Amino acid sequence: MSTARVDYIAPWWTYWLHNFPHINLRFQPVDNSFRPQEENYQQSLIFLGCVAAAGLGLNLLFLAVYLSCLCCCRKEEEEESKRPNSCCVTWAAVTAGLISCAAVGVGFYGNSETNDGVYQLTYSLYNANHTLGGVDNLVSGTMGSMQSGLKQHLSRLDEILATRLDYVQTLRFMQQMADNIIKQLVGLPDWDQVKVDLAALADQTSQMEYYRWLTYLLLLILDLVICLMACLGLAKQSRWLLTTMMVFGVLTLVLSWASLGADTAAAVGTSDFCVAPDKFLMNQTKDFISSDIVHYYLYCSQSLPNPFQQSLTIFQRSLTTMQLQIQGLLQFAVPLFPTAERDLLSIQNLLNSSEASLHQLTALLDCRGLHKDYLDALIGVCYDGVEGLLYLCLFSLLAACAFCAMLCAIPRAWRHIASRDRDYDDIDEEDPFNPQARRMAAHNPSRGNMHSFCSYSSSLGSQSSLHPPTQAVSNAPVSEYMNQSVLFGGNPRYENVPLIGRGSPPPSYSPSMRATYLSMTDDQIRHFGNDFQA
């Protein structure tokens, strides 16, 4: 065995993940060697997913206890205690938003890195499959030309040159050389099974990676949309929007923990492979390829002998011998047997094409091409792929924390909105200076209008000495002007202009004056107005 390879060094995070405890579902320790076919090793990866499921259960239990305490511990809060609560809700929402944005950014980067690593793996697999397919085509083509084409030409030449025993012996010798070439080609390993396995593996990996990439992309977009909609609901103080986002937040929390378990299991399993990939590949290929050949391609060291060198050398020597024999026949036999020239030239062309195939075959069987594809696949999986999975694990943790904070903040915000609405409902709707009552009166014109009886005329002079300024513009409804003009004898006065737009504060009045005014009938109010004018 060769020494440790210097062109591939497993990254440190693969060793860190490789040292994770491997425990099966019966809580028994399992060897951390990469053996995906064994049931105990599969259970050790499933156990990591179960740990994430346990984390989800604890998180949901914490949220349930928190919401129960929030619902059971309601008490009346003073006005001073409302500001700190709203401030806590604001800071919790801001923190959840920032963590969610950071998680989405990390998730996009991790998803891209993982996709790049898997793409490099599939690209290397397709390249290796193309190389092995080229070897298969060259071997089958050369064997076909030697078995069928060369045999036909030699049979015709045997009939033409039958009268010359020396030429017939030369033809027999060429047939032996051809059989020797076929024997060497048959001795090469059968790459057909490996080629089919690599192509199928690349297709399956590419398809699975597409769905994985698309799923994470949708999950990232969902997280971002839920975060933005929750912020919008807090800004607009919309109860139904906050409730909807709370339901989606719980769903996304479950998805985040599920993705954490899947990513952790995939990262640990891939790291187990990346720590000792050569051992796994040699165990997988020992049934149909010699260990010397696999070792030659995995390490590709100058000190290692080429397992195909002897076969290729015999192939080359046999072709050279046959070419020399054909040249001799062309030189000495053609003048005596002109009809043999056509078959001899055909054999010469066949040998030339076989020599070109030999050079291509030598290049394809060299370890450097397949070894480069092997290293590219390892770097793609163990560097970009595992690193991307670690970033996706970090994304899942950050997303779980963000949505947990959001689920804790939304109920408090909902209670804050509800308490604010109750405070508005406690205000007397009959109060003419209540902004909410004024808005309700504008939307409900059938409601009786309040008549203002507060005037500044007692201190500022008579009716004829005070005129409203021409530049004052009021937004009050026309009905309010009419009611006030009727109250004071049909003559609009400056005192009757609505308070909005006058630039003066509303007059204050005592509760007794307000109660007396509300108990008066319309006739009494009209009579009071006439007396007041007199």
Side-chain angles (χ1 to χ4, degrees), residues 109-153:
Y109 179 76
N111 197 30
S112 177
E113 283 292 302
T114 306
N115 185 68
D116 291 341
V118 176
Y119 174 77
Q120 192 169 354
L121 169 64
T122 56
Y123 184 77
S124 300
L125 289 176
Y126 283 127
N127 279 345
N129 182 73
H130 179 72
T131 301
L132 298 178
V135 171
D136 252 355
N137 293 332
L138 289 174
V139 171
S140 60
T142 304
M143 289 179 61
S145 63
M146 289 291 176
Q147 289 175 346
S148 61
L150 182 61
K151 184 177 181 180
Q152 294 176 2
H153 292 300

mmCIF file of all heavy atoms in Angstrom, residues 109-153:
data_model
loop_
_atom_site.group_PDB
_atom_site.id
_atom_site.type_symbol
_atom_site.label_atom_id
_atom_site.label_comp_id
_atom_site.label_asym_id
_atom_site.label_seq_id
_atom_site.Cartn_x
_atom_site.Cartn_y
_atom_site.Cartn_z
ATOM 1 N N TYR A 109 -26.451 30.994 1.224
ATOM 2 C CA TYR A 109 -25.051 30.659 0.972
ATOM 3 C C TYR A 109 -24.815 29.151 1.113
ATOM 4 O O TYR A 109 -24.145 28.532 0.275
ATOM 5 C CB TYR A 109 -24.158 31.420 1.950
ATOM 6 C CG TYR A 109 -22.686 31.115 1.778
ATOM 7 C CD1 TYR A 109 -21.955 31.653 0.725
ATOM 8 C CD2 TYR A 109 -22.028 30.272 2.669
ATOM 9 C CE1 TYR A 109 -20.609 31.357 0.561
ATOM 10 C CE2 TYR A 109 -20.684 29.977 2.521
ATOM 11 C CZ TYR A 109 -19.982 30.529 1.470
ATOM 12 O OH TYR A 109 -18.654 30.224 1.312
ATOM 13 N N GLY A 110 -25.362 28.552 2.171
ATOM 14 C CA GLY A 110 -25.192 27.119 2.362
ATOM 15 C C GLY A 110 -25.852 26.304 1.266
ATOM 16 O O GLY A 110 -25.294 25.293 0.806
ATOM 17 N N ASN A 111 -27.030 26.736 0.808
ATOM 18 C CA ASN A 111 -27.701 26.019 -0.275
ATOM 19 C C ASN A 111 -26.897 26.089 -1.565
ATOM 20 O O ASN A 111 -26.773 25.102 -2.302
ATOM 21 C CB ASN A 111 -29.090 26.613 -0.486
ATOM 22 C CG ASN A 111 -30.000 25.709 -1.283
ATOM 23 O OD1 ASN A 111 -29.882 24.491 -1.231
ATOM 24 N ND2 ASN A 111 -30.907 26.300 -2.029
ATOM 25 N N SER A 112 -26.316 27.257 -1.842
ATOM 26 C CA SER A 112 -25.488 27.407 -3.039
ATOM 27 C C SER A 112 -24.215 26.574 -2.943
ATOM 28 O O SER A 112 -23.808 25.923 -3.922
ATOM 29 C CB SER A 112 -25.144 28.882 -3.243
ATOM 30 O OG SER A 112 -24.291 29.065 -4.349
ATOM 31 N N GLU A 113 -23.564 26.571 -1.767
ATOM 32 C CA GLU A 113 -22.336 25.779 -1.603
ATOM 33 C C GLU A 113 -22.608 24.285 -1.757
ATOM 34 O O GLU A 113 -21.854 23.564 -2.417
ATOM 35 C CB GLU A 113 -21.735 26.053 -0.220
ATOM 36 C CG GLU A 113 -20.996 27.369 -0.116
ATOM 37 C CD GLU A 113 -19.726 27.372 -0.934
ATOM 38 O OE1 GLU A 113 -18.859 26.520 -0.706
ATOM 39 O OE2 GLU A 113 -19.615 28.223 -1.833
ATOM 40 N N THR A 114 -23.680 23.814 -1.158
ATOM 41 C CA THR A 114 -24.020 22.396 -1.294
ATOM 42 C C THR A 114 -24.323 22.037 -2.739
ATOM 43 O O THR A 114 -23.893 20.985 -3.241
ATOM 44 C CB THR A 114 -25.228 22.059 -0.406
ATOM 45 O OG1 THR A 114 -24.955 22.458 0.944
ATOM 46 C CG2 THR A 114 -25.525 20.576 -0.428
ATOM 47 N N ASN A 115 -25.046 22.912 -3.432
ATOM 48 C CA ASN A 115 -25.356 22.656 -4.832
ATOM 49 C C ASN A 115 -24.088 22.640 -5.686
ATOM 50 O O ASN A 115 -23.945 21.810 -6.595
ATOM 51 C CB ASN A 115 -26.326 23.716 -5.345
ATOM 52 C CG ASN A 115 -26.786 23.440 -6.754
ATOM 53 O OD1 ASN A 115 -27.501 22.483 -7.008
ATOM 54 N ND2 ASN A 115 -26.396 24.284 -7.689
ATOM 55 N N ASP A 116 -23.148 23.537 -5.394
ATOM 56 C CA ASP A 116 -21.883 23.543 -6.132
ATOM 57 C C ASP A 116 -21.103 22.240 -5.912
ATOM 58 O O ASP A 116 -20.528 21.680 -6.849
ATOM 59 C CB ASP A 116 -21.028 24.736 -5.707
ATOM 60 C CG ASP A 116 -21.627 26.053 -6.167
ATOM 61 O OD1 ASP A 116 -22.473 26.035 -7.085
ATOM 62 O OD2 ASP A 116 -21.265 27.109 -5.598
ATOM 63 N N GLY A 117 -21.076 21.778 -4.663
ATOM 64 C CA GLY A 117 -20.362 20.534 -4.380
ATOM 65 C C GLY A 117 -20.978 19.338 -5.072
ATOM 66 O O GLY A 117 -20.265 18.495 -5.653
ATOM 67 N N VAL A 118 -22.306 19.248 -5.051
ATOM 68 C CA VAL A 118 -22.962 18.118 -5.711
ATOM 69 C C VAL A 118 -22.815 18.218 -7.225
ATOM 70 O O VAL A 118 -22.647 17.202 -7.919
ATOM 71 C CB VAL A 118 -24.448 18.061 -5.297
ATOM 72 C CG1 VAL A 118 -25.172 16.953 -6.043
ATOM 73 C CG2 VAL A 118 -24.566 17.841 -3.797
ATOM 74 N N TYR A 119 -22.852 19.441 -7.760
ATOM 75 C CA TYR A 119 -22.644 19.602 -9.196
ATOM 76 C C TYR A 119 -21.240 19.152 -9.605
ATOM 77 O O TYR A 119 -21.060 18.502 -10.642
ATOM 78 C CB TYR A 119 -22.863 21.061 -9.591
ATOM 79 C CG TYR A 119 -22.526 21.353 -11.040
ATOM 80 C CD1 TYR A 119 -23.392 20.991 -12.066
ATOM 81 C CD2 TYR A 119 -21.317 21.973 -11.379
ATOM 82 C CE1 TYR A 119 -23.085 21.246 -13.386
ATOM 83 C CE2 TYR A 119 -20.998 22.228 -12.703
ATOM 84 C CZ TYR A 119 -21.892 21.862 -13.706
ATOM 85 O OH TYR A 119 -21.573 22.114 -15.015
ATOM 86 N N GLN A 120 -20.240 19.481 -8.779
ATOM 87 C CA GLN A 120 -18.881 19.036 -9.075
ATOM 88 C C GLN A 120 -18.780 17.513 -9.004
ATOM 89 O O GLN A 120 -18.062 16.881 -9.793
ATOM 90 C CB GLN A 120 -17.898 19.685 -8.101
ATOM 91 C CG GLN A 120 -16.441 19.528 -8.480
ATOM 92 C CD GLN A 120 -15.543 20.404 -7.635
ATOM 93 O OE1 GLN A 120 -16.013 21.213 -6.840
ATOM 94 N NE2 GLN A 120 -14.242 20.238 -7.799
ATOM 95 N N LEU A 121 -19.499 16.905 -8.073
ATOM 96 C CA LEU A 121 -19.519 15.444 -7.985
ATOM 97 C C LEU A 121 -20.122 14.825 -9.238
ATOM 98 O O LEU A 121 -19.543 13.905 -9.840
ATOM 99 C CB LEU A 121 -20.302 15.017 -6.741
ATOM 100 C CG LEU A 121 -20.634 13.530 -6.630
ATOM 101 C CD1 LEU A 121 -19.377 12.693 -6.507
ATOM 102 C CD2 LEU A 121 -21.585 13.283 -5.461
ATOM 103 N N THR A 122 -21.295 15.301 -9.641
ATOM 104 C CA THR A 122 -21.943 14.735 -10.831
ATOM 105 C C THR A 122 -21.133 14.999 -12.094
ATOM 106 O O THR A 122 -21.061 14.145 -12.989
ATOM 107 C CB THR A 122 -23.353 15.315 -10.981
ATOM 108 O OG1 THR A 122 -23.288 16.756 -11.014
ATOM 109 C CG2 THR A 122 -24.230 14.898 -9.816
ATOM 110 N N TYR A 123 -20.498 16.177 -12.182
ATOM 111 C CA TYR A 123 -19.655 16.475 -13.342
ATOM 112 C C TYR A 123 -18.479 15.501 -13.415
ATOM 113 O O TYR A 123 -18.131 14.998 -14.498
ATOM 114 C CB TYR A 123 -19.162 17.920 -13.245
ATOM 115 C CG TYR A 123 -18.344 18.378 -14.437
ATOM 116 C CD1 TYR A 123 -18.962 18.722 -15.630
ATOM 117 C CD2 TYR A 123 -16.956 18.466 -14.357
ATOM 118 C CE1 TYR A 123 -18.224 19.139 -16.726
ATOM 119 C CE2 TYR A 123 -16.207 18.876 -15.444
ATOM 120 C CZ TYR A 123 -16.852 19.220 -16.619
ATOM 121 O OH TYR A 123 -16.105 19.628 -17.704
ATOM 122 N N SER A 124 -17.874 15.209 -12.277
ATOM 123 C CA SER A 124 -16.767 14.254 -12.253
ATOM 124 C C SER A 124 -17.243 12.847 -12.594
ATOM 125 O O SER A 124 -16.540 12.092 -13.296
ATOM 126 C CB SER A 124 -16.094 14.271 -10.879
ATOM 127 O OG SER A 124 -15.592 15.559 -10.571
ATOM 128 N N LEU A 125 -18.415 12.475 -12.113
ATOM 129 C CA LEU A 125 -18.950 11.154 -12.433
ATOM 130 C C LEU A 125 -19.221 11.018 -13.931
ATOM 131 O O LEU A 125 -18.937 9.968 -14.539
ATOM 132 C CB LEU A 125 -20.226 10.893 -11.636
ATOM 133 C CG LEU A 125 -20.056 10.668 -10.132
ATOM 134 C CD1 LEU A 125 -21.415 10.527 -9.466
ATOM 135 C CD2 LEU A 125 -19.205 9.426 -9.867
ATOM 136 N N TYR A 126 -19.777 12.069 -14.535
ATOM 137 C CA TYR A 126 -20.023 12.022 -15.974
ATOM 138 C C TYR A 126 -18.711 11.964 -16.757
ATOM 139 O O TYR A 126 -18.620 11.270 -17.786
ATOM 140 C CB TYR A 126 -20.840 13.236 -16.409
ATOM 141 C CG TYR A 126 -22.312 13.131 -16.074
ATOM 142 C CD1 TYR A 126 -22.959 14.137 -15.366
ATOM 143 C CD2 TYR A 126 -23.061 12.032 -16.475
ATOM 144 C CE1 TYR A 126 -24.306 14.045 -15.054
ATOM 145 C CE2 TYR A 126 -24.412 11.929 -16.165
ATOM 146 C CZ TYR A 126 -25.027 12.948 -15.458
ATOM 147 O OH TYR A 126 -26.359 12.847 -15.159
ATOM 148 N N ASN A 127 -17.690 12.688 -16.300
ATOM 149 C CA ASN A 127 -16.389 12.619 -16.965
ATOM 150 C C ASN A 127 -15.788 11.218 -16.865
ATOM 151 O O ASN A 127 -15.256 10.670 -17.850
ATOM 152 C CB ASN A 127 -15.434 13.639 -16.353
ATOM 153 C CG ASN A 127 -15.660 15.033 -16.904
ATOM 154 O OD1 ASN A 127 -16.322 15.206 -17.926
ATOM 155 N ND2 ASN A 127 -15.121 16.031 -16.238
ATOM 156 N N ALA A 128 -15.836 10.643 -15.661
ATOM 157 C CA ALA A 128 -15.316 9.289 -15.496
ATOM 158 C C ALA A 128 -16.112 8.288 -16.327
ATOM 159 O O ALA A 128 -15.537 7.360 -16.931
ATOM 160 C CB ALA A 128 -15.351 8.895 -14.020
ATOM 161 N N ASN A 129 -17.418 8.482 -16.384
ATOM 162 C CA ASN A 129 -18.239 7.597 -17.212
ATOM 163 C C ASN A 129 -17.882 7.728 -18.693
ATOM 164 O O ASN A 129 -17.847 6.727 -19.433
ATOM 165 C CB ASN A 129 -19.713 7.939 -16.983
ATOM 166 C CG ASN A 129 -20.646 7.046 -17.766
ATOM 167 O OD1 ASN A 129 -20.820 5.885 -17.448
ATOM 168 N ND2 ASN A 129 -21.260 7.595 -18.814
ATOM 169 N N HIS A 130 -17.598 8.976 -19.133
ATOM 170 C CA HIS A 130 -17.181 9.182 -20.519
ATOM 171 C C HIS A 130 -15.833 8.507 -20.796
ATOM 172 O O HIS A 130 -15.643 7.908 -21.875
ATOM 173 C CB HIS A 130 -17.089 10.682 -20.799
ATOM 174 C CG HIS A 130 -16.635 11.014 -22.187
ATOM 175 N ND1 HIS A 130 -17.425 10.832 -23.293
ATOM 176 C CD2 HIS A 130 -15.443 11.502 -22.651
ATOM 177 C CE1 HIS A 130 -16.768 11.197 -24.378
ATOM 178 N NE2 HIS A 130 -15.560 11.613 -24.015
ATOM 179 N N THR A 131 -14.918 8.578 -19.848
ATOM 180 C CA THR A 131 -13.616 7.925 -20.023
ATOM 181 C C THR A 131 -13.765 6.418 -20.123
ATOM 182 O O THR A 131 -13.202 5.766 -21.023
ATOM 183 C CB THR A 131 -12.688 8.286 -18.856
ATOM 184 O OG1 THR A 131 -12.519 9.709 -18.814
ATOM 185 C CG2 THR A 131 -11.337 7.627 -19.014
ATOM 186 N N LEU A 132 -14.524 5.840 -19.209
ATOM 187 C CA LEU A 132 -14.714 4.391 -19.229
ATOM 188 C C LEU A 132 -15.494 3.954 -20.467
ATOM 189 O O LEU A 132 -15.228 2.878 -21.037
ATOM 190 C CB LEU A 132 -15.432 3.943 -17.963
ATOM 191 C CG LEU A 132 -14.685 4.206 -16.651
ATOM 192 C CD1 LEU A 132 -15.527 3.765 -15.469
ATOM 193 C CD2 LEU A 132 -13.341 3.506 -16.643
ATOM 194 N N GLY A 133 -16.447 4.779 -20.891
ATOM 195 C CA GLY A 133 -17.154 4.466 -22.127
ATOM 196 C C GLY A 133 -16.234 4.499 -23.333
ATOM 197 O O GLY A 133 -16.359 3.668 -24.252
ATOM 198 N N GLY A 134 -15.302 5.479 -23.346
ATOM 199 C CA GLY A 134 -14.326 5.519 -24.430
ATOM 200 C C GLY A 134 -13.431 4.296 -24.448
ATOM 201 O O GLY A 134 -13.115 3.749 -25.521
ATOM 202 N N VAL A 135 -13.010 3.834 -23.280
ATOM 203 C CA VAL A 135 -12.201 2.611 -23.210
ATOM 204 C C VAL A 135 -12.988 1.425 -23.749
ATOM 205 O O VAL A 135 -12.471 0.598 -24.532
ATOM 206 C CB VAL A 135 -11.751 2.359 -21.753
ATOM 207 C CG1 VAL A 135 -11.102 0.986 -21.625
ATOM 208 C CG2 VAL A 135 -10.793 3.441 -21.306
ATOM 209 N N ASP A 136 -14.243 1.320 -23.354
ATOM 210 C CA ASP A 136 -15.074 0.221 -23.838
ATOM 211 C C ASP A 136 -15.227 0.253 -25.353
ATOM 212 O O ASP A 136 -15.145 -0.783 -26.030
ATOM 213 C CB ASP A 136 -16.455 0.299 -23.186
ATOM 214 C CG ASP A 136 -16.656 -0.789 -22.151
ATOM 215 O OD1 ASP A 136 -15.771 -1.644 -22.016
ATOM 216 O OD2 ASP A 136 -17.702 -0.774 -21.484
ATOM 217 N N ASN A 137 -15.466 1.437 -25.903
ATOM 218 C CA ASN A 137 -15.656 1.548 -27.351
ATOM 219 C C ASN A 137 -14.379 1.197 -28.111
ATOM 220 O O ASN A 137 -14.431 0.513 -29.158
ATOM 221 C CB ASN A 137 -16.101 2.968 -27.713
ATOM 222 C CG ASN A 137 -17.488 3.286 -27.183
ATOM 223 O OD1 ASN A 137 -18.314 2.393 -27.005
ATOM 224 N ND2 ASN A 137 -17.749 4.565 -26.928
ATOM 225 N N LEU A 138 -13.234 1.645 -27.608
ATOM 226 C CA LEU A 138 -11.967 1.328 -28.288
ATOM 227 C C LEU A 138 -11.666 -0.166 -28.247
ATOM 228 O O LEU A 138 -11.243 -0.763 -29.246
ATOM 229 C CB LEU A 138 -10.828 2.115 -27.644
ATOM 230 C CG LEU A 138 -10.821 3.625 -27.896
ATOM 231 C CD1 LEU A 138 -9.733 4.294 -27.073
ATOM 232 C CD2 LEU A 138 -10.622 3.919 -29.378
ATOM 233 N N VAL A 139 -11.882 -0.791 -27.099
ATOM 234 C CA VAL A 139 -11.610 -2.223 -26.972
ATOM 235 C C VAL A 139 -12.544 -3.023 -27.862
ATOM 236 O O VAL A 139 -12.116 -3.931 -28.614
ATOM 237 C CB VAL A 139 -11.732 -2.646 -25.503
ATOM 238 C CG1 VAL A 139 -11.684 -4.167 -25.378
ATOM 239 C CG2 VAL A 139 -10.620 -2.030 -24.681
ATOM 240 N N SER A 140 -13.832 -2.704 -27.801
ATOM 241 C CA SER A 140 -14.789 -3.460 -28.625
ATOM 242 C C SER A 140 -14.554 -3.222 -30.110
ATOM 243 O O SER A 140 -14.657 -4.166 -30.931
ATOM 244 C CB SER A 140 -16.217 -3.083 -28.243
ATOM 245 O OG SER A 140 -16.431 -1.686 -28.452
ATOM 246 N N GLY A 141 -14.228 -1.980 -30.504
ATOM 247 C CA GLY A 141 -13.971 -1.710 -31.913
ATOM 248 C C GLY A 141 -12.733 -2.419 -32.422
ATOM 249 O O GLY A 141 -12.738 -2.986 -33.533
ATOM 250 N N THR A 142 -11.664 -2.410 -31.640
ATOM 251 C CA THR A 142 -10.430 -3.086 -32.061
ATOM 252 C C THR A 142 -10.632 -4.594 -32.140
ATOM 253 O O THR A 142 -10.177 -5.260 -33.090
ATOM 254 C CB THR A 142 -9.293 -2.748 -31.084
ATOM 255 O OG1 THR A 142 -9.140 -1.328 -31.000
ATOM 256 C CG2 THR A 142 -7.993 -3.370 -31.555
ATOM 257 N N MET A 143 -11.319 -5.161 -31.161
ATOM 258 C CA MET A 143 -11.573 -6.601 -31.192
ATOM 259 C C MET A 143 -12.462 -6.971 -32.372
ATOM 260 O O MET A 143 -12.251 -8.021 -33.025
ATOM 261 C CB MET A 143 -12.228 -7.043 -29.883
ATOM 262 C CG MET A 143 -11.300 -7.010 -28.685
ATOM 263 S SD MET A 143 -12.121 -7.521 -27.164
ATOM 264 C CE MET A 143 -12.589 -9.187 -27.566
ATOM 265 N N GLY A 144 -13.428 -6.144 -32.681
ATOM 266 C CA GLY A 144 -14.292 -6.437 -33.828
ATOM 267 C C GLY A 144 -13.533 -6.412 -35.137
ATOM 268 O O GLY A 144 -13.730 -7.284 -36.005
ATOM 269 N N SER A 145 -12.673 -5.395 -35.291
ATOM 270 C CA SER A 145 -11.893 -5.316 -36.536
ATOM 271 C C SER A 145 -10.908 -6.475 -36.660
ATOM 272 O O SER A 145 -10.669 -7.003 -37.761
ATOM 273 C CB SER A 145 -11.152 -3.981 -36.600
ATOM 274 O OG SER A 145 -10.221 -3.869 -35.536
ATOM 275 N N MET A 146 -10.336 -6.908 -35.543
ATOM 276 C CA MET A 146 -9.401 -8.026 -35.593
ATOM 277 C C MET A 146 -10.111 -9.362 -35.842
ATOM 278 O O MET A 146 -9.607 -10.237 -36.559
ATOM 279 C CB MET A 146 -8.617 -8.111 -34.277
ATOM 280 C CG MET A 146 -7.608 -6.996 -34.086
ATOM 281 S SD MET A 146 -6.237 -7.149 -35.235
ATOM 282 C CE MET A 146 -5.313 -5.660 -34.853
ATOM 283 N N GLN A 147 -11.273 -9.523 -35.288
ATOM 284 C CA GLN A 147 -11.967 -10.807 -35.391
ATOM 285 C C GLN A 147 -12.704 -10.973 -36.718
ATOM 286 O O GLN A 147 -12.777 -12.085 -37.254
ATOM 287 C CB GLN A 147 -12.952 -10.968 -34.230
ATOM 288 C CG GLN A 147 -12.280 -11.191 -32.885
ATOM 289 C CD GLN A 147 -13.278 -11.228 -31.747
ATOM 290 O OE1 GLN A 147 -14.435 -10.842 -31.924
ATOM 291 N NE2 GLN A 147 -12.839 -11.683 -30.582
ATOM 292 N N SER A 148 -13.241 -9.913 -37.237
ATOM 293 C CA SER A 148 -14.041 -10.033 -38.459
ATOM 294 C C SER A 148 -13.295 -9.540 -39.700
ATOM 295 O O SER A 148 -13.070 -10.294 -40.655
ATOM 296 C CB SER A 148 -15.361 -9.269 -38.288
ATOM 297 O OG SER A 148 -15.097 -7.877 -38.055
ATOM 298 N N GLY A 149 -12.868 -8.264 -39.684
ATOM 299 C CA GLY A 149 -12.247 -7.685 -40.878
ATOM 300 C C GLY A 149 -10.918 -8.343 -41.230
ATOM 301 O O GLY A 149 -10.690 -8.748 -42.385
ATOM 302 N N LEU A 150 -10.034 -8.465 -40.253
ATOM 303 C CA LEU A 150 -8.725 -9.060 -40.527
ATOM 304 C C LEU A 150 -8.851 -10.534 -40.934
ATOM 305 O O LEU A 150 -8.132 -11.022 -41.826
ATOM 306 C CB LEU A 150 -7.839 -8.924 -39.291
ATOM 307 C CG LEU A 150 -6.405 -9.446 -39.427
ATOM 308 C CD1 LEU A 150 -5.659 -8.681 -40.517
ATOM 309 C CD2 LEU A 150 -5.673 -9.359 -38.100
ATOM 310 N N LYS A 151 -9.766 -11.225 -40.333
ATOM 311 C CA LYS A 151 -9.940 -12.645 -40.657
ATOM 312 C C LYS A 151 -10.401 -12.824 -42.095
ATOM 313 O O LYS A 151 -9.935 -13.752 -42.805
ATOM 314 C CB LYS A 151 -10.949 -13.252 -39.679
ATOM 315 C CG LYS A 151 -11.133 -14.744 -39.858
ATOM 316 C CD LYS A 151 -12.096 -15.294 -38.812
ATOM 317 C CE LYS A 151 -12.266 -16.795 -38.983
ATOM 318 N NZ LYS A 151 -13.203 -17.371 -37.978
ATOM 319 N N GLN A 152 -11.299 -11.976 -42.578
ATOM 320 C CA GLN A 152 -11.770 -12.086 -43.957
ATOM 321 C C GLN A 152 -10.645 -11.819 -44.957
ATOM 322 O O GLN A 152 -10.474 -12.553 -45.948
ATOM 323 C CB GLN A 152 -12.937 -11.115 -44.193
ATOM 324 C CG GLN A 152 -14.189 -11.457 -43.405
ATOM 325 C CD GLN A 152 -15.285 -10.425 -43.601
ATOM 326 O OE1 GLN A 152 -15.105 -9.465 -44.357
ATOM 327 N NE2 GLN A 152 -16.409 -10.642 -42.936
ATOM 328 N N HIS A 153 -9.869 -10.752 -44.677
ATOM 329 C CA HIS A 153 -8.771 -10.441 -45.598
ATOM 330 C C HIS A 153 -7.717 -11.546 -45.608
ATOM 331 O O HIS A 153 -7.181 -11.914 -46.677
ATOM 332 C CB HIS A 153 -8.132 -9.104 -45.209
ATOM 333 C CG HIS A 153 -9.026 -7.931 -45.426
ATOM 334 N ND1 HIS A 153 -9.517 -7.605 -46.666
ATOM 335 C CD2 HIS A 153 -9.513 -7.000 -44.557
ATOM 336 C CE1 HIS A 153 -10.275 -6.517 -46.569
ATOM 337 N NE2 HIS A 153 -10.276 -6.134 -45.276
#
